[in-house]
């Protein structure tokens, strides 16, 4: 039976006898663990940021824009020639089976007035589907309906920024505002969504029925013209199918010949972000690996010092063996010594890792997330390093020949 | 049954092509309570024999019974256990732990046999008292004279109640006066506590404390005399 408390006392005393050496050895682990924690915090933060962007834009989203895409992905003549119409949107909804919601949009920037307050903002004419496509809920009131779209009713939904600027503390639902001097009834208000991935204020917007926008506010070069059609696929797996179905349908509707280029572009927003998310994942992994290598180097430092320590203390080991220390008494003594180095290094490393993550987020403005998991992982990892790199020196010590160890100078 | 029964024990060291016959067919029996001096020139195999008696080393050939147990067949940990319970070592160079107090040095053998911390402290203090060092419990080995260090080592050898003390040139590093003190102490332990003492020495006046003198030459016993 190994006497653990006494063995621990012996190990701690040996470490205290060489304070400078012990702290320098610990430094390797401190830097390693600190780096692992910081890198994981930065990586997790970056991924979280992208995940938030995806969910703020809406998932499983396709965007149909007028104009062709060149091989390099640059859209030519964007917005100059309008090729999309309400009829296209209706056809997509009816015929593309992989699609669940379709929201065409048409609009512009206009002055909005309530009482003596006025505010200039983007007006988007669209269909009720927009709320499902963007996964955007109302904070008050009710949405407009298909009936409102059919009869081009003068009703609107206000984004939170517009509410703040026009109404302040007043409840806007049911009030009349003037857009380009045309009176609109406020049906409801949209929940706050914050900034878009590109840094725009998504709440600075007003939704109105698409037909109202076309007929009463901004006009169209041809009947039913829309600027963009946003589409939500039934599921992530359906995204590619939906893209194919839409392309096929629109080529047919726009009478585009076999060799001709599309006069529209389908953009898979979700996929673009997924790609970005994937590359962040790879980056996190790389950072983690680099940090782990420094932890490994710290572990090798421990092993190195432990080997020196075993050699220096050969005679001590001989004395212990002579008075009855068994194999595991000797082994544990050195393993506990290595473990103490690595665990206290790990503990300080965790503190330093957490503080440097905090500094990165306050000074550099990076999103950093310290998960309990990464802290536990780093701690277990440093314990493992201690046991792994402490074992060989301990094993070596336990195999010493007592007679030779006692004679060692 | 004899306390120690060695029959045809040999020890051969192989250094590359060179074969060193450190011990050649030693047969010996030692009874409980004996006080034995082993003498002989340097390199005659005295330490080799002591290491085998103390279960620090195994014979190349032959049988060694300690209290009737055949030690030659035991593994490392079983040998460690025997050293812990049956054998107390006293070395020429004292072999105390550095940066460790006298009391803790004496506690050392009890770390390896499950004695509680409180009992360890008490037994170690009692052993230090028995060797006349009650005031020096908290002194480090560097703060003790050679004779005092050797007393600490003897206390450490006693503390587990071992029936045998093996002392390889215990007075080799001490002056005549201190040597006499150490020998008196060993003699007292032998007569009062019936502890078997086996010591190696070059000096005849040290050997004079014993009741049996065994002389080694080139790995063989050349004489084995009882003194009355
Ligand atoms: N580990 C060893 N390897 C090889 N030869 C050894 C070893 N230990 C002792 N010897 C040899 O065995 C012989 C006896 O040594 P030892 O028992 O130490 O003599 P003593 O203690 O009587 O001076 C010597 O010739 C010595 O060189
Ligand atoms: Mg010798």
């Amino acid at each position: 039976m190994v006497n653990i408390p006494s063995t621990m006392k012996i190990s701690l005393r040996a470490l205290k006898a060489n304070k400078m050496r012990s702290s320098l050895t610990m430094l390797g682990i401190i830097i390693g663990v600190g780096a692992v924690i910081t890198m994981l915090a930065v990586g997790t933060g970056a991924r979280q940021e992208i995940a938030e962007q995806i969910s703020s834009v809406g998932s499983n989203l396709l965007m149909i824009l007028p104009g062709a895409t060149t091989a390099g992905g640059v859209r030519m003549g964007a917005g100059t020639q309008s090729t999309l119409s309400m009829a296209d949107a209706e056809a997509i909804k009816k015929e593309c089976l992989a699609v669940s919601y379709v929201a065409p949009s048409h609009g512009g920037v206009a002055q909005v007035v309530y009482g003596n307050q006025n505010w200039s903002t983007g007006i988007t004419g669209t269909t009720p589907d927009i709320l499902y496509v963007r996964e955007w809920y109302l904070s008050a009131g009710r949405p407009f309906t298909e009936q409102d779209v059919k009869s081009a009713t003068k009703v609107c939904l206000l984004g939170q920024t517009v509410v703040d600027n026009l109404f302040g503390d007043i409840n806007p639902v049911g009030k009349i505002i003037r857009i380009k001097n045309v009176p609109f009834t406020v049906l409801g208000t949209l929940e706050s969504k914050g900034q878009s991935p590109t840094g725009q204020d998504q709440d600075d917007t007003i939704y109105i029925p698409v037909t109202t926008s076309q007929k009463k506010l901004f006009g169209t070069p041809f009947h039913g013209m829309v600027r963009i059609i946003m589409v939500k696929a039934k599921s992530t797996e359906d995204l590619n199918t939906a893209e194919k179905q839409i392309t096929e349908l629109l080529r047919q509707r726009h009478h585009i010949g076999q060799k001709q280029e599309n006069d529209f572009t389908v953009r898979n927003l979700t996929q673009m972000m997924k790609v970005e998310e994937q590359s962040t994942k790879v980056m996190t992994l790389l950072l983690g690996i680099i940090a782990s290598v420094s932890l490994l180097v710290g572990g090798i430092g421990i092993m190195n010092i432990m080997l020196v320590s075993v050699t220096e203390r050969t005679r001590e080991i001989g004395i212990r063996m002579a008075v009855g220390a068994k194999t595991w008494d000797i082994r544990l003594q050195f393993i506990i010594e290595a473990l103490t180095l690595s665990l206290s290094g790990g503990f300080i490393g965790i503190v330093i890792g957490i503080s440097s993550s905090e500094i990165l987020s306050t000074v550099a403005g990076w999103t950093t997330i310290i998960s309990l998991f990464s802290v536990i992982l780093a701690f277990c990892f440093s314990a493992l390093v201690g046991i792994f790199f402490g074992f060989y020196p301990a094993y070596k010590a336990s195999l010493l020949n007592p007679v030779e160890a006692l004679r060692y100078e | 049954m004899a306390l120690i029964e060695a029959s045809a024990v040999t020890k051969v060291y192989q250094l590359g092509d060179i074969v060193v016959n450190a011990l050649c067919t030693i047969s010996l029996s030692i009874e409980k309570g004996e006080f034995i001096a082993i003498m002989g020139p340097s390199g005659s195999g005295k330490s080799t024999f002591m290491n085998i008696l103390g279960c620090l080393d195994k014979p190349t050939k032959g049988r060694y019974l300690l209290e009737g147990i055949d030690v030659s067949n035991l593994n490392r940990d079983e040998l460690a256990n025997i050293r812990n319970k049956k054998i107390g070592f006293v070395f020429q160079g004292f072999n105390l732990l550095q940066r460790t107090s006298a009391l803790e040095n004496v506690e050392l053998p009890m770390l390896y046999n499950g004695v509680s911390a409180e009992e360890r402290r008490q037994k170690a203090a009692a052993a230090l008292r028995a060797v006349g060092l009650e005031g020096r419990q908290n002194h480090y080995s560097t703060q003790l004279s050679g004779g005092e260090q050797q007393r600490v080592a003897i206390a450490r050898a006693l503390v587990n109640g071992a029936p045998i003390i093996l002392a390889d040139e215990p007075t080799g590093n001490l002056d005549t006066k201190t040597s006499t003190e150490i020998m008196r102490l060993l003699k007292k332990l032998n007569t009062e506590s019936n502890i078997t003492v086996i010591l190696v020495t070059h000096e005849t006046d040290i050997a004079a404390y014993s009741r049996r003198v065994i002389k080694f030459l080139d790995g063989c016993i050349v004489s084995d005399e009882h003194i009355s």
Side-chain angles (χ1 to χ4, degrees):
Chain A
M1 222 8 254
V2 177
N3 187 338
I4 302 277
S6 307
T7 311
M8 274 175 83
K9 223 172 111 186
I10 295 166
S11 304
L12 287 182
R13 185 188 298 223
L15 292 176
K16 262 197 238 153
N18 280 306
K19 282 203 192 69
M20 184 70 178
R21 186 205 277 184
S22 305
S23 354
L24 285 175
T25 311
M26 233 152 48
L27 195 60
I29 297 292
I30 293 173
I31 292 171
V33 169
V36 167
I37 298 237
T38 314
M39 295 304 145
L40 284 180
V42 168
T44 321
R47 273 167 66 190
Q48 164 101 352
E49 207 165 313
I50 290 170
E52 263 166 23
Q53 286 176 2
I54 291 177
S55 74
S56 95
V57 171
S59 56
N60 306 335
L61 207 59
L62 292 174
M63 213 180 251
I64 307 158
L65 305 144
T69 319
T70 66
V74 182
R75 224 151 46 82
M76 299 302 288
T80 49
Q81 114 222 60
S82 315
T83 55
L84 299 172
S85 69
M86 279 303 287
D88 286 334
E90 279 154 19
I92 290 168
K93 184 148 190 183
K94 210 178 282 160
E95 287 172 35
C96 299
L97 293 175
V99 165
S100 55
Y101 297 104
V102 179
S105 78
H106 171 275
V109 175
Q111 195 76 10
V112 186
V113 179
Y114 174 73
N116 56 2
Q117 303 292 317
N118 72 82
W119 183 249
S120 176
T121 187
I123 315 291
T124 304
T126 184
T127 59
D129 274 14
I130 191 73
L131 299 182
Y132 299 103
V133 169
R134 303 268 339 252
E135 287 163 23
W136 206 345
Y137 305 103
L138 296 185
S139 54
R142 62 166 186 86
F144 56 79
T145 60
E146 290 295 345
Q147 191 53 48
D148 289 317
V149 175
K150 234 172 235 158
S151 41
T153 330
K154 287 174 281 184
V155 293
C156 64
L157 301 173
L158 304 183
Q160 194 55 44
T161 305
V162 178
V163 172
D164 292 343
N165 282 287
L166 287 185
F167 290 92
D169 291 336
I170 306 164
N171 177 9
V173 177
K175 302 285 189 303
I176 308 282
I177 60 169
R178 294 181 159 272
I179 305 174
K180 272 186 150 184
N181 236 350
V182 180
F184 279 77
T185 307
V186 178
L187 284 186
T189 56
L190 296 160
E191 261 186 355
S192 178
K193 234 185 201 313
Q195 288 204 333
S196 75
T198 48
Q200 286 163 331
D201 179 6
Q202 299 183 85
D203 297 323
D204 191 4
T205 193
I206 296 178
Y207 282 163
I208 61 175
V210 58
T211 43
T212 316
S213 167
Q214 289 166 332
K215 290 174 187 158
K216 295 181 175 151
L217 287 184
F218 301 106
T220 49
F222 62 88
H223 177 73
M225 185 279 268
V226 295
R227 209 157 39 80
I228 296 172
I229 302 173
M230 284 206 267
V231 167
K232 190 179 177 70
K234 281 194 169 127
S235 70
T236 312
E237 293 75 49
D238 283 329
L239 268 172
N240 288 333
T241 323
E243 191 176 339
K244 240 180 257 148
Q245 289 172 346
I246 291 165
T247 309
E248 221 164 85
L249 178 73
L250 289 186
R251 278 181 75 89
Q252 196 186 327
R253 285 181 58 82
H254 294 188
H255 309 294
I256 297 168
Q258 286 275 303
K259 301 236 164 73
Q260 271 177 295
E261 263 188 39
N262 291 342
D263 62 350
F264 59 90
T265 305
V266 182
R267 252 197 213 171
N268 189 334
L269 276 188
T270 307
Q271 205 168 52
M272 280 162 63
M273 286 189 196
K274 282 265 152 64
V275 168
E276 200 181 334
E277 193 183 27
Q278 197 57 42
S279 64
T280 323
K281 231 182 207 165
V282 171
M283 182 195 76
T284 312
L285 195 71
L286 275 176
L287 289 177
I289 289 173
I290 292 168
S292 310
V293 166
S294 67
L295 188 54
L296 200 72
V297 172
I300 293 169
I302 288 190
M303 177 137 120
N304 187 24
I305 280 304
M306 292 307 297
L307 283 173
V308 170
S309 173
V310 166
T311 308
E312 275 181 355
R313 283 149 67 191
T314 299
R315 185 188 273 265
E316 176 195 323
I317 295 164
I319 295 170
R320 290 180 185 281
M321 285 176 167
V323 301
K326 287 178 272 298
T327 312
W328 274 100
D329 292 315
I330 300 291
R331 277 185 200 169
L332 270 185
Q333 178 186 336
F334 287 96
I335 289 174
I336 289 177
E337 211 174 302
L339 205 56
T340 309
L341 281 176
S342 70
L343 282 186
S344 36
F347 185 76
I348 299 172
I350 286 171
V351 172
I352 286 182
I354 290 174
S355 1
S356 52
S357 307
E358 290 297 318
I359 289 169
L360 273 182
S361 74
T362 47
V363 175
W366 296 7
T367 309
T368 57
I369 293 167
I370 297 153
S371 62
L372 184 66
F373 170 75
S374 74
V375 171
I376 292 172
L377 186 83
F379 202 70
C380 293
F381 210 59
S382 53
L384 218 66
V385 162
I387 293 172
F388 184 79
F389 289 104
F391 189 81
Y392 176 67
Y395 175 77
K396 233 185 118 185
S398 74
L399 287 190
L400 285 175
N401 177 327
V403 175
E404 276 162 25
L406 279 168
R407 223 186 272 146
Y408 186 84
E409 290 301 328
Chain B
M1 184 187 66
L3 178 65
I4 286 171
E5 185 81 61
S7 42
V9 166
T10 64
K11 183 76 189 179
V12 179
Y13 291 110
Q14 184 98 37
L15 293 170
D17 293 339
I18 306 158
V19 176
V20 181
N21 286 303
L23 290 179
C24 51
T25 337
I26 303 274
S27 295
L28 188 67
S29 130
I30 296 170
E31 298 298 328
K32 186 156 176 54
E34 284 200 73
F35 196 125
I36 297 174
I38 296 178
M39 300 187 75
S42 187
S44 58
K46 305 181 297 292
S47 296
T48 306
F49 187 58
M50 291 289 269
N51 289 336
I52 289 173
L53 289 186
C55 299
L56 281 170
D57 211 347
K58 283 186 179 185
T60 311
K61 266 197 207 136
R63 222 156 66 105
Y64 168 30
L65 301 183
L66 178 64
E67 291 187 333
I69 301 162
D70 190 352
V71 174
S72 355
N73 294 329
L74 301 183
N75 66 27
R76 273 182 90 95
D77 283 356
E78 287 164 336
L79 288 177
N81 208 22
I82 293 209
R83 289 196 295 273
N84 185 261
K85 299 227 169 65
K86 308 265 181 242
I87 317 267
F89 289 100
V90 178
F91 302 94
Q92 178 175 0
F94 320 129
N95 273 336
L96 299 180
L97 293 189
Q98 303 296 302
R99 292 184 297 266
T100 307
S101 71
L103 190 74
E104 284 171 310
N105 262 298
V106 178
E107 283 186 35
L108 196 61
M110 292 182 285
L111 287 185
Y112 304 116
N113 61 9
V115 174
S116 76
E118 183 53 38
E119 198 184 340
R120 274 206 306 269
R121 189 152 291 270
Q122 281 172 5
K123 280 191 168 174
L128 279 174
R129 218 176 301 123
V131 299
L133 280 181
E134 49 269 81
R136 302 296 170 93
Q137 289 193 358
N138 298 318
H139 289 222
Y140 284 9
S141 39
T142 44
Q143 299 167 324
L144 296 170
S145 72
E148 286 165 340
Q149 288 188 55
Q150 199 60 299
R151 282 164 190 269
V152 174
I154 292 172
R156 183 179 67 190
L158 290 175
V159 78
N160 264 345
I164 305 167
I165 287 185
L166 296 176
D168 196 345
E169 303 190 36
T171 59
N173 287 7
L174 303 176
D175 57 47
T176 321
K177 184 171 162 284
T178 324
S179 299
T180 311
E181 282 168 22
I182 294 295
M183 288 316 295
R184 287 216 178 105
L185 177 58
L186 288 175
K187 185 83 192 162
K188 191 177 114 185
L189 292 170
N190 176 248
T191 48
E192 290 180 9
S193 313
N194 200 29
I195 291 172
T196 310
V197 178
I198 303 169
L199 65 85
V200 172
T201 183
H202 289 294
E203 297 163 56
T204 34
D205 43 342
I206 297 293
Y209 285 87
S210 69
R211 279 174 279 144
R212 179 178 173 191
V213 178
I214 299 172
K215 289 200 170 131
F216 272 68
L217 187 65
D218 293 337
C220 299
I221 294 178
V222 289
S223 79
D224 184 350
E225 293 168 0
H226 288 261
I227 306 165
S228 43

